[in-house]
């Protein structure tokens, strides 16, 4: 699968395309066919980062001064502009990051919903009236924007994650500098095109390309930047948090997960197997909420694993433009090699592995066969490390208490699900599970665009994205008292 001439990207700053200060480039390749170069991404420089921060700071006073309904209209038009190019964006997403085309189309549709939702949030109340102790005094609070917000986003949800950060930031009056992952840069350029087409004013939304170690670090140090929202690895998140704390700016870090499904003896085994397979293997397991562990009651383990194998093997592996494909390639050969090495280091005991078709369509891609292994030591690599691929580690539980102990036994706390027909079991699990996204009889992936998203423990810095909770991060409170 090839896509023609690769585009040489430019930064999008102050509503214009700007060449990088450097002349060094990163090749952005198609994971389904690494011979296909999608775009040439500029490495970027500290000067580029400063220019983007300056443009955002310059645009902030006028954007903040707009009424909520005026900002809402801009966001609604942006959603329409994305809708007008929906199929193009989905096809590029499939080609650039290896997301099967069916899921890519769903993500683009979700982006329209996100922008429409935050168009509505822009016109909601911005404070509260508070009783005052002084007779005759009026006391109230106001929520005000922070200013310039930097956003550093991953490749796996290349439009949805940037927009569920950008949309609330803009709705509440902030301006933005977005630094996307190098391997999803082309989509970020197209996102900038749709923003311009929607009439988002100059400097309100800027896109900066390059390596995180250079431009990401530089944008965090820009004096104009008053907050940063990051999604990615725990190691990078920790460095960002330290930098932000040292500058006393607000930070939000969403990091990894080692998400778990618990299967109890009274579960609907067919449903549990189907949703566990989907949660673990679709999009080659490259979701922060993907199921990477399953804890199964001993009495139903054999039957569950039998049905799980059938469900996993029924998921079509295919080139990402195949509308039937459910499992596509890994994002890179480095990811493929890392997962292979981890399984070897863990001396993983295989339960079963699917097979990659031998046709030419698969010979130049980063395809990895869906794999289910014995989890082994609850403190070992397979229980603790996020592999970010189509690998599921299975553990055996003696009873409900043991299952929850195993489920909670990681440094992460993003998403979990339990399959049971017993209400008491479900309620006990809801109370005791240490994750931010709690499911009963569902898969671990995804969240509604209007619901809070985020993890506990090592998965998150504690704040929540999406829904009404986003207002907490992107605004600060001013308390006002007016005396007669």
């Amino acid at each position: 699968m090839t896509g023609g001439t690769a585009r040489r990207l430019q930064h999008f700053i102050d509503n214009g395309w700007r060449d990088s200060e450097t002349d060094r480039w990163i090749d952005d390749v198609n994971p389904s066919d690494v011979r296909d170069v999608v775009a040439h991404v500029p490495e970027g420089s500290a000067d580029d980062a400063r220019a983007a921060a300056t443009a955002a700071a310059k645009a902030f006073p006028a954007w903040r001064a707009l009424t909520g309904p005026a900002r809402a209209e801009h966001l609604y038009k942006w959603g329409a502009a994305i809708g007008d190019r929906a199929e193009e964006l989905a096809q590029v997403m499939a080609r650039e990051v290896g997301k099967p085309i069916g899921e890519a189309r769903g993500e683009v549709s979700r982006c329209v919903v996100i922008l429409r939702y935050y168009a509505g949030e822009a016109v909601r109340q911005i404070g509260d009236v508070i009783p005052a102790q002084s007779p005759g005094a009026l006391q109230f609070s106001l929520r005000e924007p922070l200013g310039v917000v930097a956003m550093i986003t991953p490749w796996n949800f290349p439009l949805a994650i940037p927009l569920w950060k950008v949309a609330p930031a803009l709705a509440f009056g902030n301006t933005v500098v977005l630094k996307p992952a190098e391997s999803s840069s082309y989509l970020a350029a197209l996102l900038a095109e749709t923003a311009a087409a929607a009439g988002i004013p100059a400097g309100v939304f800027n896109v900066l390309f390059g390596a995180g170690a250079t431009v990401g670090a530089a944008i965090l140090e820009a004096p104009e930047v008053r907050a940063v929202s990051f999604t990615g690895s725990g190691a990078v998140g920790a460095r960002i948090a330290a930098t932000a704390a040292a500058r006393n700016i607000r930070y939000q870090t969403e990091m990894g997960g080692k998400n778990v499904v618990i299967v109890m003896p009274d579960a609907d085994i067919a449903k549990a197997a189907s949703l566990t397979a989907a949660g673990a293997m679709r999009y080659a397991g490259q979701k922060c909420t993907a199921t990477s562990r399953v804890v199964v009651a001993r009495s139903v383990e054999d039957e569950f694993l039998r049905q799980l194998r059938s469900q996993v093997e029924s998921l079509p592996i295919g080139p990402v433009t195949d509308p039937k494909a459910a499992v596509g390639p890994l994002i890179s050969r480095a990811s493929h090699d890392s997962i292979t090495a981890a399984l070897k280091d863990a001396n993983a005991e295989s339960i079963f592995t699917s097979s990659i078709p031998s046709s030419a369509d698969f010979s130049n891609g980063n395809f990895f066969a869906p794999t289910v292994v014995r989890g082994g030591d609850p403190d070992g690599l397979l229980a603790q490390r996020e592999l970010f691929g189509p690998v599921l580690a299975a553990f055996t539980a003696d009873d409900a208490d043991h299952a929850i102990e195993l489920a909670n036994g990681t440094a992460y706390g993003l998403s979990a699900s339990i399959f049971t027909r017993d209400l008491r079991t479900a309620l006990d699990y809801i109370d005791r599970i240490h994750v931010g996204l709690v499911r009963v009889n569902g898969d671990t992936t995804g969240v509604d665009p209007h619901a809070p998203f985020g993890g506990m423990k090592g998965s998150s810095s504690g704040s929540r994205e999406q829904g009404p909770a986003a207002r907490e991060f992107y605004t600060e409170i001013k308390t006002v008292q007016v005396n007669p």
Side-chain angles (χ1 to χ4, degrees):
M1 181 173 68
T2 57
T5 303
R7 176 170 167 176
R8 292 173 72 88
L9 301 183
Q10 299 169 291
H11 306 299
F12 183 74
I13 299 173
D14 211 16
N15 266 30
W17 298 103
R18 168 183 167 139
D19 286 332
S20 177
E21 294 291 333
T22 73
D23 192 30
R24 297 186 299 274
W25 301 87
I26 303 163
D27 282 349
D28 178 9
V29 302
N30 177 350
S32 257
D33 184 346
V34 297
R35 299 169 301 176
D36 175 24
V37 179
V38 178
H40 301 293
V41 182
E43 284 195 5
S45 69
D47 286 343
D48 296 326
R50 285 189 286 269
T54 299
K58 179 182 173 183
F60 174 62
W63 181 252
R64 173 187 177 175
L66 287 181
T67 64
R71 291 196 297 269
E73 185 66 20
H74 280 296
L75 293 178
Y76 197 87
K77 288 179 178 177
W78 196 359
I82 288 173
D84 289 342
R85 298 177 67 174
E87 183 59 21
E88 175 195 0
L89 291 168
Q91 292 289 340
V92 172
M93 189 182 300
R95 180 182 169 215
E96 184 174 32
V97 302
K99 180 165 286 192
I101 187 63
E103 286 200 44
R105 288 171 178 145
E107 181 171 337
V108 175
S109 296
R110 178 178 181 170
C111 291
V112 176
V113 172
I114 289 168
L115 285 160
R116 288 176 177 172
Y117 172 81
Y118 282 108
E121 286 293 290
V123 300
R124 298 194 186 279
Q125 73 273 13
I126 59 170
D128 298 286
V129 176
I130 305 164
Q133 289 185 334
S134 301
L138 172 63
Q139 185 167 246
F140 58 94
S141 65
L142 293 173
R143 283 196 170 273
E144 296 189 342
L146 304 174
V148 178
V149 181
M151 296 170 179
I152 301 174
T153 58
W155 53 265
N156 60 327
F157 285 84
L159 294 180
I161 289 180
L163 279 175
W164 81 45
K165 297 177 186 291
V166 172
L170 298 191
F172 305 139
N174 303 280
T175 55
V176 167
V177 178
L178 170 67
K179 207 300 282 186
E182 297 92 310
S183 51
S184 58
S185 294
Y186 189 14
L187 279 163
L190 297 184
L191 188 62
E193 290 181 4
T194 62
I200 302 295
V204 169
F205 175 64
N206 307 275
V207 181
L208 182 66
F209 297 114
T214 303
V215 293
I219 198 64
L220 287 178
E221 295 289 356
E224 299 89 348
V225 171
R226 298 310 310 151
V228 57
S229 181
F230 165 80
T231 300
S233 73
V236 176
R239 291 197 295 271
I240 287 172
T243 300
R247 289 196 56 222
N248 195 29
I249 65 174
R250 191 170 294 189
Y251 64 90
Q252 176 182 70
T253 56
E254 284 298 330
M255 296 168 286
K258 195 65 181 171
N259 310 300
V260 63
V261 161
I262 299 172
V263 183
M264 297 305 294
D266 64 338
D268 180 334
I269 299 299
K271 182 177 183 180
S274 174
L275 292 179
T276 300
M281 305 305 177
R282 284 185 174 273
Y283 192 19
Q286 297 173 120
K287 303 175 183 179
C288 57
T289 54
T291 307
S292 57
R293 295 178 296 146
V294 60
V295 176
V296 190
R298 191 178 303 277
S299 62
V300 294
E301 183 177 36
D302 289 346
E303 178 60 18
F304 172 79
L305 291 175
R306 185 186 68 78
Q307 294 202 36
L308 178 68
R309 177 170 192 158
S310 175
Q311 290 293 332
V312 169
E313 291 178 343
S314 71
L315 292 172
I317 302 170
V320 291
T321 51
D322 181 351
K324 296 179 181 178
V327 183
L330 294 170
I331 187 65
S332 67
R333 177 52 55 174
S335 178
H336 188 287
D337 293 346
S338 174
I339 295 170
T340 301
L343 292 175
K344 182 178 179 181
D345 290 346
N347 195 24
E349 178 187 346
S350 176
I351 296 175
F352 64 86
T353 302
S354 295
S355 59
I356 302 298
S358 59
S359 68
D361 287 340
F362 298 88
S363 59
N364 294 294
N366 303 319
F367 292 93
F368 194 100
T371 300
V372 178
V373 297
R374 295 282 177 191
D377 182 359
D379 296 321
L381 183 155
L382 295 175
Q384 301 296 328
R385 186 190 298 179
E386 183 182 40
L387 300 182
F388 222 62
V391 177
L392 179 66
F395 298 84
T396 307
D398 298 323
D399 53 29
D401 288 339
H402 187 210
I404 292 175
E405 179 186 353
L406 289 170
N408 282 333
T410 77
Y412 295 111
L414 183 54
S415 185
S417 183
I418 192 169
F419 286 87
T420 180
R421 293 182 171 96
D422 185 80
L423 181 59
R424 291 187 184 219
T425 299
L427 292 176
D428 181 60
Y429 146 86
I430 290 168
D431 182 58
R432 295 168 62 194
I433 196 74
H434 298 156
V435 300
L437 301 173
V438 181
R439 301 287 170 79
V440 176
N441 297 325
D443 97 47
T444 61
T445 64
V447 65
D448 290 343
H450 52 277
F453 176 88
M456 296 179 177
K457 301 191 291 185
S459 289
S460 173
S461 57
S463 64
R464 291 292 180 265
E465 300 189 276
Q466 298 198 140
R471 187 184 295 269
E472 299 293 327
F473 180 74
Y474 292 108
T475 63
E476 54 191 352
I477 296 175
K478 179 183 286 183
T479 302
V480 181
Q481 188 177 95
V482 180
N483 293 291

